Amino acid sequence: MRITALETFPVPPRWLFLKVTTDEGIVGWGEPVVEGRAHTVATAVEELSELLVGRDPLAIEDHWQVMTKGGFYRGGPVLSSAVAGIDQALWDIAGKAYGVPVHRLLGGPVRDRVRVYQWIGGDEPSEVAEAAAEQAEAGFTAVKMNASGRMRHIDTPAEVEGVVRRVEAVREVLGDQRDVAVDFHGRFSTAMARRVVPRLEPLLPLFVEEPVVPENTSKVREVTAATSVPVALGERLFSRWDFRDVLGAGIAVAQPDLSHAGGISEVRRIAAMAEAHDVTMAPHCPLGPIALAASMQIAFSTPNFLIQEQSRGIHYNVGSDLLDYLVDPSPFRFEEGRARVPEAPGLGIEIDEEAVRRAAELGHRWRSPIWRDDDGSFAEW
C-alpha cells in the first residue's frame, strides 16, 4: 500500500480536515489545525506531503520521526499540528487496514466507558448556574467554565470575588456528586493565579486549567505550591520535551491536544511520561469530530486517564457543530455523560465527505478575538 494524495478542507466553524488517500482505496482522516491559523497549517501539510506521497502509510513511527526532525527546525504549534493531523490519518488507515479500532493497536481498551464534560458560560462567563443545571439534567456529570473575562495583571477585589461567586453558583447547582472544572485560559498573571486559586479550595473544583500562559511554565510550581486545587495545563505544549519540566512541577492533570501535540503517536508517549509523575490525562479538544475520535482512542487505551473534553454546543461552534460532518453520529452519543468504547475500524467514525466538500467551498477565516483592557492595552484572551 502506498500514499497517493493528501487533501485539506477548511470547514466551519474553525476546523481543518485532512484526507489521506492510498492506492488500495483505504482513506484516513485527520484534523491538523491551529485555531485561527488553519490556512497556515494547511500549507505546512502540503509541504510535508512531499515526504509521504509514494510511501507506506503503515510506517507511522518512521513518518513521525522524519516529519518532526527532518526539516532541521523543529517544534512549534504549526509544524506540530500539521504532523498531528497527518499522524491521526495514518493511524486511521492502519486501523482500517487491519480491521480494528486504533485503541486495539495501542494495546487494547483499559476501560469500557469514558467520562466527558460539557462547556458552559462562554468566553466571558454569565448565567453559568442555569447552564450547569441544564447540562446536569442532560446527564453530564461534569462541566467546564471560564473563570473570568479579561483580567489585569493584578486586578481588583471585585474581579476576584466575581470568579469565586460564579464557581459557587455552579457548585450549588451541581451538588457534591458532579464536578466543575475552571479554565483560567492563560488570562491570569502568576500573582493573580496565586491569589485566586486558593479561594476556590472550599468549592473543590475538578481542576483549574492553564493558570498561567505557556511561556511562564517556569512559574507553575509557584501556583501548585500555593493551593490544594489540582492544576491542569498543556493545550499549548506540543511535545514530550515541552511537558518534561511541568510534569515535575506539581501539576495534577496533563492536557495535550491530539491536533496540536504531534497526534496519537506523541500523546501516548506524553501519557506514559505523565503516569511516571502521578499525573492524569484530560486531553484538550474544543475542536471537531476527527480530533475527538483520535482523543477517544487515547482515552480508552491510557491507564492514567481522567476525563475528555468535547465541543458539542461550545460557544465557538457558530453555524456548524460537532456532529455535522458525520455519516453516523452515534459514536458521540453520550449516555450519563460517558462515551462507550468504539469498535469500528480506525478512528471509529465515518466522515461525510460530500458535506465536508460543500462546507470547504464556504471555508472560514476564524480568528482569536483581540481583547484590550479599559486603558487600551492588550489583554490575554
Side-chain angles (χ1 to χ4, degrees):
M1 185 162 51
R2 291 291 182 265
I3 296 169
T4 57
L6 289 80
E7 187 177 6
T8 54
F9 305 90
V11 296
R14 57 178 192 157
W15 305 330
L16 182 71
F17 291 173
L18 165 67
K19 178 186 177 184
V20 177
T21 305
T22 68
D23 60 357
E24 294 189 8
I26 298 176
V27 170
W29 288 89
E31 194 169 333
V33 68
V34 173
E35 301 92 302
R37 296 290 182 268
H39 294 82
T40 309
V41 178
T43 298
V45 170
E46 192 278 328
E47 291 178 343
L48 290 171
S49 70
E50 299 171 8
L51 302 171
L52 298 166
V53 172
R55 301 290 303 281
D56 177 3
L58 303 182
I60 299 173
E61 183 59 32
D62 185 64
H63 293 319
W64 193 93
Q65 295 291 332
V66 171
M67 288 189 294
T68 59
K69 301 174 182 178
F72 187 72
Y73 295 99
R74 306 178 182 188
V78 171
L79 175 61
S80 296
S81 298
V83 170
I86 293 170
D87 184 80
Q88 293 167 11
L90 296 182
W91 279 103
D92 193 26
I93 290 170
K96 291 171 180 175
Y98 295 123
V100 296
V102 168
H103 62 75
R104 293 284 178 188
L105 302 178
L106 301 177
V110 295
R111 55 184 53 82
D112 298 321
R113 295 185 299 169
V114 156
R115 190 183 186 200
V116 300
Y117 62 79
Q118 179 71 28
W119 260 98
I120 61 171
D123 267 338
E124 299 186 83
S126 62
E127 300 178 352
V128 288
E130 295 88 343
E134 181 181 339
Q135 297 307 326
E137 180 68 22
F140 287 94
T141 63
V143 298
K144 189 168 80 174
M145 57 182 284
N146 278 312
S148 70
R150 66 207 71 201
M151 184 69 64
R152 299 181 185 91
H153 194 85
I154 299 178
D155 219 315
T156 63
E159 288 294 336
V160 175
E161 294 304 319
V163 174
V164 176
R165 282 196 303 271
R166 285 187 289 272
V167 181
E168 281 177 339
V170 172
R171 172 54 71 202
E172 183 175 354
V173 168
L174 295 179
D176 60 6
Q177 295 299 312
R178 293 183 174 90
D179 283 309
V180 55
V182 184
D183 192 352
F184 280 39
H185 214 255
R187 296 170 184 170
F188 289 62
S189 66
T190 305
M192 279 301 290
R194 293 179 65 220
R195 173 175 285 181
V196 175
V197 178
R199 292 290 308 280
L200 300 179
E201 288 175 2
L203 303 172
L204 298 175
L206 180 63
F207 54 75
V208 295
E209 178 174 328
E210 206 176 32
V212 296
V213 290
E215 54 265 39
N216 285 341
T217 50
S218 63
K219 298 288 189 178
V220 169
R221 188 179 295 277
E222 296 180 24
V223 179
T224 60
T227 184
S228 64
V229 175
V231 171
L233 57 78
E235 67 189 77
R236 289 187 276 183
L237 304 179
F238 308 115
S239 71
R240 74 200 98 143
W241 294 277
D242 289 348
F243 274 91
R244 179 172 51 193
D245 293 333
V246 300
L247 288 174
I251 69 168
V253 185
Q255 296 178 295
D257 189 307
L258 270 289
S259 281
H260 298 326
I264 291 169
S265 295
E266 184 70 347
V267 171
R268 67 190 296 243
R269 291 188 280 255
I270 293 168
M273 286 180 63
E275 185 178 16
H277 287 85
D278 196 25
V279 172
T280 190
M281 293 283 290
H284 182 256
C285 190
L287 295 171
I290 306 170
L292 181 57
S295 298
M296 287 296 184
Q297 303 300 324
I298 290 290
F300 277 102
S301 59
T302 298
N304 54 317
F305 169 83
L306 176 66
I307 196 167
Q308 180 60 53
E309 182 173 26
Q310 55 86 30
S311 73
R312 189 173 182 181
I314 198 171
H315 46 284
Y316 304 123
N317 291 358
V318 177
S320 297
D321 210 343
L322 180 67
L323 307 181
D324 291 354
Y325 301 109
L326 297 178
V327 172
D328 175 11
S330 63
F332 300 144
R333 187 172 294 130
F334 308 128
E335 300 174 4
E336 298 180 346
R338 287 171 168 81
R340 294 195 175 275
V341 61
E343 294 296 351
L347 294 180
I349 59 173
E350 184 179 355
I351 294 296
D352 185 343
E353 186 171 338
E354 289 186 7
V356 169
R357 290 188 179 276
R358 287 195 303 269
E361 291 178 3
L362 174 65
H364 68 84
R365 302 292 292 184
W366 190 89
R367 296 290 183 264
S368 300
I370 302 298
W371 280 4
R372 294 189 180 275
D373 284 330
D374 56 10
D375 65 359
S377 63
F378 174 82
E380 291 285 352
W381 169 71

